Each structure stands twice: as C-alpha cells, then as structure tokens.
Amino acid sequence: MERTGIVTMKGNPVTLVGPEIKPGDAAPDFTVLDGKLRPVTLKEHAGKVVILSVAPSLDTPVCDLQAHRFNDEAAALGSGVAVLNISMDLPFAINRFCLTGNIENMQVLSDHRDASFGTSWGVLIKELRLLARAVFVVDGSGTVRYAEIVPEVTNHPDYDKAIQAARSLVV
C-alpha cells in the first residue's frame, strides 16, 4: 500500500509505504536491530507503555535533538514506559551515536535490514528508503493511543503531546 499527500521532505512530496496507523488500532509488531545486531520486537515490551520515536537519520540536527529529548524524558517516565528510537541508521552508527551522545535511557534501534517497522507502521519513504518523522504511543495492552506523522520531515514532532499521551497511560 502506498500513500501520498501526507509528508514532504524539504518541501518535496514523498510516498509513504504501508498502512495508516491511527489511535485505537492494534499496534503492529515488527523486528528491528539493536546496536549489537540483536533482533528487537514490540512484543518484548508487552505490558508497558511504549513511545516509538521515529526519525530519518540520527546524523541530522533535528533527529539528534529528537533522540536527546526523548532520552531525557525517558529518565523521568519510569520503568513502566519503554522509549524506542527507530531509524534506518546502521547498528554501528547507532552505537556511535549512543556512546558520543550519552543516550542511556532508551533503546536506539535500526530498521535498515528489512524495513519491518517502516512498512508495518506506514512510515517508510519509498523514494529515499528512510523513515518519516513520527511519534506513536502504545498502551500496555498493545493499542495505539497516540499517532503523529510530521508533515514536513525536517520539522520536529509535538514532543509535549506525545509525552502527555504516554504519561496519561502510566498506572
């Protein structure tokens, strides 16, 4: 499934591959890789509130700020919330980013191998094989409670709304 008219990259329209994920939908599972090439799935976080911070590449200023903002927020959210940052960056680049950026409170993950996350969550940019900037919040029972796909990839998501959505689900 391909969708147009949703996202631009530097003002140029791009095509998203995959379904539109909306609040109330069952959260699709996916398999991504951590920095040690270990597969990670959404199911591993069952029972927790999960914030999915989606970024095109950690090597860009907005993505760097997005990762650091959610890393900082993760520290305050407690053990009932898992924060996952997902991009198409290689696992080796993820390791370097986490080490040099002191990212310790969230998992930083790579979708480069299969684009499993991008295609199942509808954020894979066909023309660039990058992920569109987005934030999703999933409750402990696996239901999407918040979804934001940023219309212009180079802009920031609404951090406050996403954090508020996660906090409202913490019991």
Side-chain angles (χ1 to χ4, degrees):
M1 170 185 291
E2 294 184 357
R3 300 176 295 129
T4 57
I6 299 163
V7 172
T8 59
M9 173 69 132
K10 297 183 179 179
N12 299 307
V14 294
T15 306
L16 296 182
V17 177
E20 177 184 5
I21 302 297
K22 301 177 297 299
D25 289 348
D29 202 14
F30 53 84
T31 302
V32 292
L33 299 175
D34 70 10
K36 295 179 181 175
L37 303 175
R38 184 183 73 84
V40 176
T41 66
L42 181 60
K43 287 181 184 176
E44 291 176 33
H45 301 285
K48 289 188 174 190
V49 172
V50 178
I51 297 173
L52 299 167
S53 169
V54 187
S57 174
L58 295 169
D59 287 325
T60 64
V62 176
C63 297
D64 181 288
L65 287 169
Q66 180 177 337
H68 279 90
R69 173 74 187 265
F70 279 113
N71 182 67
D72 293 345
E73 296 287 353
L77 289 170
S79 61
V81 179
V83 181
L84 313 180
N85 188 97
I86 303 173
S87 70
M88 285 295 214
D89 291 300
L90 293 174
F92 314 109
I94 286 170
N95 280 342
R96 178 185 43 44
F97 178 82
C98 291
L99 182 64
T100 60
N102 296 317
I103 302 294
E104 301 170 341
N105 302 316
M106 67 176 181
Q107 281 189 290
V108 182
L109 304 164
S110 172
D111 197 26
H112 90 281
R113 186 176 61 185
D114 301 324
S116 170
F117 176 82
T119 55
S120 63
W121 284 76
V123 293
L124 178 65
I125 299 174
K126 178 181 177 180
E127 295 85 353
L128 304 171
R129 201 169 192 282
L130 294 173
L131 301 179
R133 188 173 316 285
V135 180
F136 299 95
V137 177
V138 179
D139 69 18
S141 66
T143 301
V144 176
R145 295 298 176 192
Y146 176 86
E148 176 191 11
I149 295 178
V150 180
E152 168 55 48
V153 173
T154 60
N155 291 341
H156 289 273
D158 190 329
Y159 300 109
D160 293 334
K161 278 188 182 177
I163 297 303
Q164 181 181 7
R167 281 196 177 119
S168 75
L169 298 170
V170 177
V171 181

